[in-house]
Amino acid sequence: KKPATVKLTITNLLGATVRTLVDAPLAAGLHKARWDGADASGKQVAAGTYLYKIESDNALATRKLTLIK
């Protein structure tokens, strides 16, 4: 299988991007990404509910996550 461009973003419930964790071509298979609870400028965000969105060349998925501090 060919590599696909994958983008993994964290957004707040209003849809504003908090941070982009991955934006690169990746080979097929399992991959891990860890969010440290910080926004794009490195400032810690508030505990609460966020969304993560995974986009690739041919797929899109959005799920909820809860940040607990």
Side-chain angles (χ1 to χ4, degrees):
K1 294 183 178 185
K2 295 190 291 184
T5 300
V6 176
K7 187 171 185 178
L8 172 60
T9 55
I10 306 293
T11 64
N12 62 25
L13 292 178
L14 299 175
T17 299
V18 174
R19 188 163 175 191
T20 300
L21 298 178
V22 176
D23 190 2
L26 296 176
L30 292 175
H31 299 274
K32 293 182 182 182
R34 179 172 285 188
W35 179 40
D36 60 4
D39 64 12
S41 66
K43 182 180 173 188
Q44 290 293 308
V45 299
T49 302
Y50 293 85
L51 302 172
Y52 65 91
K53 180 167 65 169
I54 302 172
E55 301 173 80
S56 72
D57 295 339
N58 57 1
L60 171 66
T62 302
R63 302 285 186 270
K64 283 187 197 179
L65 68 89
T66 301
L67 177 63
I68 300 171
K69 293 189 175 192

